[in-house]
Amino acid sequence: LSSGDGYLMIPIIDEIRCTGCGGCIEICPPQAIEMREEKAFIDAELCEECGFCAAHCPTNAITVPFPMSSETV
């Protein structure tokens, strides 16, 4: 699912866990992340919802809110 499906999966940053290391900034393809007050900040308008930042974060400060599916398998 992506934003084209009506769901927004913009990553969420836990400011307590974020150490401001900048790793997410380096890995973000659209360069949607910047530092604000020594913490990562994601510009939702630029974010492509790829999740690379969450996968790369060494402190697990970034999570992607995956929507729940009502479909059964």
Side-chain angles (χ1 to χ4, degrees), residues 4-25:
D5 298 320
Y7 297 98
L8 287 180
M9 297 190 328
I10 305 296
I12 298 168
I13 298 174
D14 181 335
E15 292 185 6
I16 294 171
R17 286 185 170 185
C18 178
T19 63
C21 72
C24 56
I25 294 172

Side-chain angles (χ1 to χ4, degrees), residues 15-62:
E15 292 185 6
I16 294 171
R17 286 185 170 185
C18 178
T19 63
C21 72
C24 56
I25 294 172
E26 296 174 18
I27 197 121
C28 181
Q31 299 178 332
I33 306 174
E34 62 184 53
M35 296 304 273
R36 291 192 181 173
E37 298 181 17
E38 300 181 11
K39 301 290 180 178
F41 173 83
I42 298 174
D43 183 334
E45 302 238 346
L46 296 175
C47 180
E48 295 177 352
E49 305 173 34
C50 66
F52 289 174
C53 57
H56 186 74
C57 181
T59 62
N60 296 316
I62 305 174

